[in-house]
Amino acid sequence: MLAVRPGVPQPEDTVQFRVSMEMTKVDIKNYLEKIYNVPVAAVRTRIQYGANNKKNHKNQRVKKPDYKVAYVQLGKGQTFQFPNLFPEKEQDEEARSFDDFRKKYLEKEQQIQKGDPRRGGVPDWFGL
Amino acid sequence: MNSSPPGVHIIRKDAQITSELTRNLFHKNLAKVEPPHQLKFLHTTLSRSGLEEFFDDPKNWGEKTVKSGDAWNIKQLRGKSSEDLHKLWYVLLKEKNMLLTLEQESKRQQRPMPSPERLEKVQKSMKNIDLVVKERETALRLLQTGHEKPVPGEWRNDFLGRTYWYTYKEWPIPWYLNKKYKKRKFFYLPHVNHFIRLRLEKHLCVRARRQNLEKKRQKVLHMKFPHLAVKSQSQ
């Protein structure tokens, strides 16, 4: 079972999970209540079909796995907001200097691609 | 008394408000679950519920790497009591759920997952616990009944000459009344012996090839790094 950020905005008391295909609504309710001690009011499930359209280098169809999605409504008026697990953090000196170096290099590359600024945007194809 | 607006399902049971899972086939299962009157103004946050266990320690959010110890070894687990193993199993299960959540979120945000080797360690530990528990169960079973396996079975040959362990299944009818079962052949005819020999040769060839390759690789390494050679134990 894993908690998942909902693709479509859900009501505040609803948590979205991906669960094993064999789990039922009652199973999910008991699982959360007993193992995580979370009060569950209602559970709704659906099975998401994984597409079979992509092809690999051998031109064989590659199937994405199917999975079951559970929408769990919390009891006792609890709310849940999926947190941001990748907040911007302070970089240390080494990382900052490396980032600066990388930015400068990319800028140089872009400048070279643009061409000589003294030509005023005229491409090199034209002589002189 | 029951001042609930129409259309809202609140089940009261002995003055205690419990929300039961109604498997009512007549209504659509989209019951709007409203918090009861007394608790309407109590808004609990994430820290109150156990859902925070699906995520790592907030200090680790946004880090590039998270330090973690080694996986549990079978030898270490064999020394633990069954209660300890039971608790450890659930700790590992919650950790695995947390890591899977993190993996999915990192795929969603298109960011690298910090220290993905934690997942492998947890899976290895859980596998080791399973092995230890199975060992203990077989030992108990041997002492109590004298049988090693939980389900009885026997060695059988299939129609291609391969030998495999057949486990007995539970059937409502005896085998001689089972038409589909009678069509299965648990023996092979003499013309198959030639193919058994060929299969054996193939298996031996593959094994010899693998062993030769390993020996060659060791020789190359020995030549490249003589100072790292394992010294023989002979005196």
Side-chain angles (χ1 to χ4, degrees):
Chain A
M1 181 179 295
L2 21 47
V4 143
R5 186 185 285 275
V8 174
Q10 296 286 334
E12 277 175 9
D13 60 345
T14 306
V15 194
Q16 197 169 332
F17 292 102
R18 279 194 196 182
V19 295
S20 165
M21 289 283 259
E22 292 89 11
M23 277 189 103
T24 58
K25 292 180 186 180
V26 184
D27 282 339
I28 294 167
K29 182 173 152 88
N30 288 337
Y31 187 101
L32 285 172
E33 279 180 349
K34 291 198 174 136
I35 301 182
Y36 284 91
N37 199 20
V38 170
V40 169
V43 182
R44 296 183 294 276
T45 56
R46 68 176 177 94
I47 295 185
Q48 175 60 53
Y49 169 75
N52 201 2
N53 303 328
K54 296 275 161 86
K55 298 224 183 121
N56 62 5
H57 62 282
K58 295 182 184 176
N59 209 27
Q60 297 161 338
R61 273 188 298 173
V62 177
K63 162 123 179 109
K64 289 190 184 153
D66 301 334
Y67 54 90
K68 191 179 256 193
V69 182
Y71 301 92
V72 172
Q73 280 187 308
L74 302 169
K76 295 188 185 160
Q78 287 189 354
T79 55
F80 176 76
Q81 198 57 20
F82 199 92
N84 178 20
L85 296 177
F86 298 96
E88 288 298 323
K89 279 221 166 153
E90 266 184 34
Q91 286 178 325
D92 60 324
E93 266 224 43
E94 216 185 289
R96 253 179 281 146
S97 64
F98 178 73
D99 256 354
D100 284 336
F101 183 76
R102 205 165 53 148
K103 262 193 219 161
K104 281 192 194 146
Y105 177 77
L106 285 170
E107 273 174 22
K108 241 191 193 173
E109 287 282 300
Q110 278 170 353
Q111 257 279 311
I112 288 166
Q113 231 206 6
K114 259 202 205 151
D116 199 350
R118 294 174 294 183
R119 287 176 65 85
V122 179
D124 281 329
W125 184 88
F126 299 102
L128 242 87
Chain B
M1 250 293 280
N2 269 16
S3 53
S4 54
V8 174
H9 305 270
I10 299 175
I11 301 146
R12 284 179 183 252
K13 212 181 187 183
D14 299 329
Q16 242 192 350
I17 299 150
T18 53
S19 57
E20 281 169 25
L21 211 64
T22 45
R23 313 215 87 231
N24 207 330
L25 299 162
F26 295 99
H27 304 281
K28 256 195 161 175
N29 233 358
L30 295 167
K32 184 163 165 252
V33 186
E34 255 196 23
H37 283 293
Q38 295 92 307
L39 301 171
K40 229 173 185 165
F41 299 110
L42 182 80
H43 253 283
T44 49
T45 50
L46 175 62
S47 56
R48 292 286 196 100
S49 68
L51 286 170
E52 60 189 1
E53 286 172 324
F54 276 104
F55 309 100
D56 208 357
D57 197 7
K59 294 174 220 156
N60 291 337
W61 293 357
E63 295 285 334
K64 290 262 170 76
T65 48
V66 176
K67 278 192 187 169
S68 59
D70 201 10
W72 281 87
N73 205 1
I74 299 190
K75 290 183 186 171
Q76 294 163 344
L77 291 167
R78 279 196 191 118
K80 302 289 170 192
S81 69
S82 297
E83 276 179 16
D84 280 344
L85 288 180
H86 191 79
K87 289 177 194 172
L88 182 60
W89 176 269
Y90 282 99
V91 166
L92 286 169
L93 180 68
K94 285 200 209 179
E95 182 71 16
K96 188 163 117 166
N97 285 346
M98 184 272 283
L99 291 169
L100 286 171
T101 314
L102 187 55
E103 196 185 14
Q104 186 56 40
E105 182 62 17
S106 58
K107 280 186 197 168
R108 182 68 170 272
Q109 305 293 338
Q110 294 178 319
R111 298 266 200 121
M113 179 188 169
S115 343
E117 70 270 0
R118 292 183 282 175
L119 245 180
E120 288 154 16
K121 287 180 194 171
V122 164
Q123 280 166 348
K124 211 167 108 177
S125 309
M126 286 175 99
K127 203 165 127 184
N128 287 344
I129 293 180
D130 196 38
L131 279 171
V132 168
V133 167
K134 270 192 188 160
E135 275 178 11
R136 289 185 187 177
E137 275 178 2
T138 30
L140 249 180
R141 208 182 298 116
L142 268 173
L143 286 169
Q144 285 174 343
T145 56
H147 301 125
E148 202 188 306
K149 293 187 176 48
V151 184
E154 61 178 0
W155 289 103
R156 283 194 191 174
N157 295 314
D158 64 0
F159 70 105
L160 292 171
R162 295 177 295 201
T163 315
Y164 68 101
W165 181 260
Y166 173 83
T167 47
Y168 293 136
K169 273 109 192 145
E170 289 184 3
W171 299 91
I173 44 169
W175 68 268
Y176 47 86
L177 297 175
N178 195 341
K179 277 193 201 168
K180 225 167 132 183
Y181 182 88
K182 281 197 282 188
K183 285 190 194 144
R184 281 181 81 174
K185 303 272 179 287
F186 293 107
F187 57 90
Y188 58 92
L189 297 171
H191 72 93
V192 176
N193 291 329
H194 171 59
F195 297 101
I196 293 173
R197 193 196 162 87
L198 289 176
R199 209 168 25 232
L200 184 68
E201 275 182 26
K202 186 175 183 178
H203 170 78
L204 292 171
C205 274
V206 162
R207 188 166 51 148
R209 222 183 303 154
R210 193 173 52 233
Q211 284 171 350
N212 280 339
L213 184 67
E214 187 60 38
K215 272 188 206 160
K216 267 190 213 165
R217 288 220 168 121
Q218 285 294 315
K219 249 191 189 172
V220 165
L221 282 174
H222 195 87
M223 277 203 304
K224 268 192 179 175
F225 309 109
H227 58 283
L228 292 173
V230 174
K231 290 186 186 69
S232 58
Q233 299 283 313
S234 59
Q235 275 148 0

